[in-house]
Each structure stands twice: as C-alpha cells, then as structure tokens.
C-alpha cells in the first residue's frame, strides 16, 4: 500500500509542472507566472516542514499524511474547476499552490518514519520505493502530455487530484505497528511544542555525520544541483532542441532506476562511504553538457549521474531511518529536508547571473568540478565515511 501511495504521488508531482505550464500559458500568462506558481508551493513547504516534523512526532503520522492528501485532493480539484471554467487568476493559482505546500510540509516528515515501521529490510524498501518513484518520474511528463492533448489542463489537474485520493486510500488501508512511547514534554501546548522543536534540533546537532552531510549538501545545492538543472535545460534546448532535452531527462530517470536496483543488491557496511563514492558519478552530467559533447554522450553522462544520485539517496535515507531513534525521526527528517532544500533556490537564482558573466558552459564545468569536491568532502569527514550501518533487521530470505 505504501509503495503504491509513493509511486502514484510521484506520478502526480511530475505531471503537475506540465499542467501548470500548459494551463497558464493557454490563459495568457508567461514563464514568470509559471515559476511563481511553482515557487508558492516550494516556499510554503520549505518554510513549514520543520514544524511539520514536530507535529508528526506528536500525533499519528498516518492520520496526518491522510489529512494532507485530502487537503491536496480538495485544492487540486478546485484548481481543476478553475481551469475547466476558464477563470484563471494567478493569485488564486498561487494561493492553491501555497496550500499544497503547507499540506506537503505536514505530509513529508511522516515518510521517513513509516518505512522502518513497515519493512524488515529497510534498505531494500528504500531501494524499491526509489525505483517506483523514478519510473513514475519517467512516465509523468508523457502521461501529462497525453492528458493535455486528449482533455485540457483542467483534466490534468483533475488527474493530479485523483493521485492524492489514491494515496490517501492506500494510507488508510495501512496497518502500522505502534511506535514506542517517546518522552513528551509536559505543560501547555505551546511550551511543549517549543520543547519538541528544541529537542529535535539538539538531536540533530548531536550527530556529526548528520549535520555534516547537510552542511556539505548546502554547498552541493548552491554550486552543483542548483545551476545544473536550469543551465542544462537552456543549453540543450538552445543547441539541440527540446527533443534532445527530453531524451537526456529520460536517460537521467533511467539511471535513477538503475541506482535503485543497485541499492537493492549491494549491502555496504559503511553506507555513507559507499554512497559518497557513487556521487562521484554525477560529474558526467554537467561536464558532458558544459564540454559541448554530442547528445549520446550527454545522455550517457545523465544516466550514470542518475544512478550515482539514486544510490546515494537510498544509502542516506536508510542511514537516517536506522541511526535515529523512532521518537525523534520525524523531526530529524524535517531538519534534513529543510536543510537539503534551503540552498536550492539560491543555486537556481545565481545560475542566470553566473551564466551571463562566465558563460553557461563554463558554469556547468565549474559545477562538474564542485560535484567532485562535494563527494570528496563527504569522504573527508571521519564521522560520515566511518559510520557503520545500524539496521540489523535484514530479512534472511
């Protein structure tokens, strides 16, 4: 049930940008409006996900996740109604996006704590979910394109709303074992809430491997991922056309599937060390585009990069889920998500000015070098490279 919920939700997430772009452009808005609509969701999510982690540790995560899905079912149904009626006002679309971001902030922290409660083989579960999400990410844009062609942008929003209904139903059918009783702050709600927030930060700060990875990841978002995504898009489309960009994106998605499959098979004792080594593979993505290589070489670089990123993602998620006590896991995951995403808008915002000053190709080559620096930095921290896996519930079969 959880596997289906995550796969369907990721499918919905990948069709939404197509729906927004097609719908807003059809009603006379430009690319800036599309970016603003997407940013409204991202800003609300990033700003509230830490609070969502505290709430998730105080209440039933399953009910919270179902409630968040139902909220997004309503908001996306409302968006579908607006587009079907032809009454599309940008501030209304942004307000709906912000509500979706709030719901996402309540939903996301529970994802990390649900996997260990469901799976005896936590690494295997993370690998399987990564494969499902990657496959959905590959299929999403194509599904959205067909829906836009057969129906309308409103039809795509309706389909997106349906993905939340399916996710909520799957979560409703889950039967989760109870979490061990964790210490809860006594006293007034506000004081207890603040105490939980402080406790989560204390637990986060006490683990050098945890905050060390997040600190390095902030650099990664600013110098590597942030500029790579928009500049690869502009460079490939400019020189080779949108078809080539679609091919390269598909190669990236296929690579993430391969990385998930590798994570199902390989069981390194030092998971973060293995994941950091795999991250060196990302260099091929920005380097191939920055060096102006042909489309086959860029696609190959993207595929290898996707495999490395996916393998790292499973190693990281499994480490967090197995090394952190269950009663603070939602809060720790929220700090992880917030820290990981905090610098992404900075990297994206700096990509344009940097490309104008240095040239997009040079910025991509710098990003390639920085991807190697980041992977090396992870390996240089003893607490990260020497962390021994803690999951002992690997199934014998």
């Amino acid at each position: 049930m959880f596997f289906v919920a995550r796969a369907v939700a990721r499918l919905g997430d990948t069709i939404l940008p197509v729906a927004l772009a097609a719908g807003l452009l059809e009603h006379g808005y430009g690319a800036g409006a599309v970016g603003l609509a997407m940013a409204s969701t991202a800003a609300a999510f990033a700003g509230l996900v830490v609070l969502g982690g505290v709430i998730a540790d105080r209440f039933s995560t399953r009910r919270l996740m179902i409630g968040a899905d139902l909220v997004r079912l309503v908001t996306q149904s409302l968006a579908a109604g607006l587009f079907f009626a032809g009454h599309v006002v940008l501030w209304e679309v942004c307000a709906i996006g912000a509500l979706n971001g709030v719901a996402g902030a309540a939903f996301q922290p529970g994802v990390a704590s649900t996997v260990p409660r469901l799976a005896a083989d936590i690494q295997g579960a993370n690998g399987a979910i990564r494969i499902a999400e990657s496959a959905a990410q590959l299929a999403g844009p194509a599904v959205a394109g067909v829906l836009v062609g057969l129906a309308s942008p409103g039809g795509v929003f309706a389909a997106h709303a349906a993905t939340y209904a399916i996710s909520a139903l799957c979560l409703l059918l889950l039967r989760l074992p109870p979490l061990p009783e964790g210490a809860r702050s006594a006293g007034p709600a506000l004081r207890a809430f603040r105490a939980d927030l402080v406790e989560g930060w204390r637990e986060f700060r006490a683990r050098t491997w945890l905050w060390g990875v997040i600190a390095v990841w902030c650099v990664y978002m600013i110098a590597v991922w942030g500029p790579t995504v928009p500049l690869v898009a502009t460079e490939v489309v400019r020189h080779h056309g949108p078809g080539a960009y679609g091919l390269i994106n598909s190669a990236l998605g296929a690579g993430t599937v391969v990385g998930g499959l590798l994570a199902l098979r390989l069981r390194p004792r030092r998971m973060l060390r293995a994941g950091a080594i795999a991250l060196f593979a990302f260099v091929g993505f920005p380097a191939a585009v920055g060096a102006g290589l042909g489309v086959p070489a860029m696609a190959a670089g993207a595929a290898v990069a996707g495999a490395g990123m996916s393998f790292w993602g499973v190693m990281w998620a499994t480490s967090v889920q197995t090394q952190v006590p269950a009663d603070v896991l939602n809060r720790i995951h929220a700090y992880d998500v917030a820290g990981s995403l905090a610098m992404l808008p900075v990297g994206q915002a700096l990509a344009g000015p940097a490309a104008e000053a240095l040239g997009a190709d040079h910025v991509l080559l710098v990003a390639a070098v920085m991807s190697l620096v980041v992977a090396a930095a992870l390996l240089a921290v003893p607490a990260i490279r020497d962390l021994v896996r803690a999951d002992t519930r690997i199934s014998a079969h």
Side-chain angles (χ1 to χ4, degrees), residues 75-275:
T75 57
Q76 293 309 92
S77 298
L78 178 59
L82 294 177
F83 279 93
F84 277 132
H87 176 77
V88 179
V89 181
L90 182 59
W91 75 264
E92 293 176 348
V93 175
C94 289
I96 289 172
L99 287 174
N100 286 340
V102 173
F107 183 99
Q108 184 61 37
V111 172
S113 63
T114 301
V115 173
R117 296 171 67 188
L118 287 172
D121 180 359
I122 297 174
Q123 181 183 330
N126 282 317
I129 290 171
R130 180 59 59 101
I131 292 168
E133 291 179 342
S134 300
Q137 194 164 348
L138 275 172
V143 171
V146 171
L147 288 173
V148 169
L150 294 179
S152 67
V156 186
F157 277 99
H160 189 216
T163 65
Y164 290 122
I166 295 170
S167 175
L169 178 61
C170 290
L171 294 173
L172 184 64
L173 296 174
L174 279 183
R175 292 295 177 264
L176 290 173
L179 280 170
E181 285 295 323
R184 282 291 173 267
S185 306
L190 181 60
R191 185 182 304 169
F193 190 87
R194 189 184 302 117
D196 279 354
L197 196 63
V198 171
E199 182 192 12
W201 174 251
R202 189 184 302 119
E203 293 282 348
F204 176 81
R205 193 179 58 186
R207 292 167 172 81
T208 302
W209 63 269
L210 185 64
W211 62 257
V213 169
I214 298 301
V216 173
W217 212 248
C218 287
V219 177
Y220 187 86
M221 286 296 174
I222 294 174
V224 183
W225 188 253
T228 293
V229 173
L231 293 183
V232 163
T234 55
E235 286 298 285
V236 173
V237 171
R238 179 182 298 140
H239 296 294
H240 302 281
Y245 180 61
L247 175 65
I248 290 168
N249 255 353
S250 295
L252 183 68
T256 62
V257 173
V258 172
L261 289 170
L262 288 173
L264 282 174
R265 301 290 300 173
L266 303 179
R267 306 282 172 156
R269 186 164 182 264
R270 290 178 170 82
M271 302 177 73
L272 296 184
R273 177 186 295 183

